[in-house]
Amino acid sequence: MKLTVRSNALLRPRLESPTFRPRLSIRGQLTHLRNTVPPGARKSLRLEPCTRLFEIMDESLIECIHATCSPTACSLSVAKVMEAHRAIDSVVSPSDLSPVQVADIAITSLWLHAEIWRACVTHSFLSASVQTPDTPELRIQYPVEVLGKVAYLLKTLPFASIHGNGRGMGHKLLAVVAAANTVLDLPEPPEEFDGVRSIEEGKVLARQVSAVGQSLVKEQYIRWEAPN
Ligand SMILES: [Zn+2]
């Protein structure tokens, strides 16, 4: 499976529409750009997005995230899940990336962490143990903590760098919110989160991130670089 197909496979269920054929730009190729590039923006031909990140997300893992894997043939394990989490963490941004690319890698990494957590839910990998220092990603509260990190990035990164990633970014933000909300809306949600003070704060952050995501998914373009 090509990397573009792989990244699309994760986004497509949310992007599918009769008029929109999503493509993320991979390996320096800007593969899809609508005519509605914002005034003043320039097309960048040097977009090198999250190639390595999507190499980590192999096809079987994507099937497991979508719960379309065969129950009898599925080979997903806790070890494989943790390997993917650590591999995502090991991806570092080269220093010459544009602000749009930096935002892309930072948010995409967090989004993929949350997507892998979804596979852990459907594959019953979550740990009931409170003491899981080596596997924080297997805790029920993990997506709320991812949401906290995303909200922090939205506050600290230049908005143009988020906005420049277009509607694909919007769908990633909404996917993180949806994962966090499954926990926040539990009848008896966990009460302690790293980096998020309370359920109430988590719900506030969910609304804030959701608002940004909702505005971005209405954009007509995938990605653009703001002029320097
Ligand atoms: Zn599976």
Side-chain angles (χ1 to χ4, degrees), residues 60 63-64 69-70 74-76 123:
S60 64
E63 282 186 0
C64 290
C69 54
S70 157
C74 174
S75 63
L76 192 64
H123 290 65

Side-chain angles (χ1 to χ4, degrees), residues 64-133:
C64 290
I65 287 170
H66 290 320
T68 54
C69 54
S70 157
T72 51
C74 174
S75 63
L76 192 64
S77 63
V78 167
K80 189 176 173 187
V81 161
M82 294 313 301
E83 192 182 320
H85 279 303
R86 293 291 77 82
I88 290 169
D89 287 340
S90 73
V91 174
V92 289
S93 297
S95 58
D96 62 341
L97 291 188
S98 73
V100 171
Q101 290 170 314
V102 169
D104 185 19
I105 289 183
I107 299 280
T108 299
S109 298
L110 290 168
W111 165 61
L112 292 176
H113 280 306
E115 292 289 57
I116 294 171
W117 180 87
R118 289 205 299 141
C120 292
V121 173
T122 55
H123 290 65
S124 302
F125 289 166
L126 293 192
S127 170
S129 166
V130 180
Q131 301 298 330
T132 50

Side-chain angles (χ1 to χ4, degrees), residues 117 136 139-146 183 190-194:
W117 180 87
R139 293 172 308 139
I140 186 76
Q141 54 267 69
Y142 180 65
V144 179
E145 297 167 0
V146 171
V183 176
E191 292 173 356
E192 292 198 2
F193 308 92
D194 283 341

Side-chain angles (χ1 to χ4, degrees), residues 102-115 142-159 161-162 168-180 194-196 202 204-213 216:
V102 169
D104 185 19
I105 289 183
I107 299 280
T108 299
S109 298
L110 290 168
W111 165 61
L112 292 176
H113 280 306
E115 292 289 57
Y142 180 65
V144 179
E145 297 167 0
V146 171
L147 173 72
K149 290 178 184 174
V150 167
Y152 176 77
L153 286 176
L154 294 188
K155 284 189 190 118
T156 52
L157 292 173
F159 181 69
S161 71
I162 301 289
M169 173 68 81
H171 287 283
K172 291 172 188 175
L173 296 178
L174 293 180
V176 170
V177 170
D194 283 341
V196 176
V204 169
L205 296 178
R207 283 195 291 274
Q208 290 171 349
V209 174
S210 178
V212 177
L216 287 180

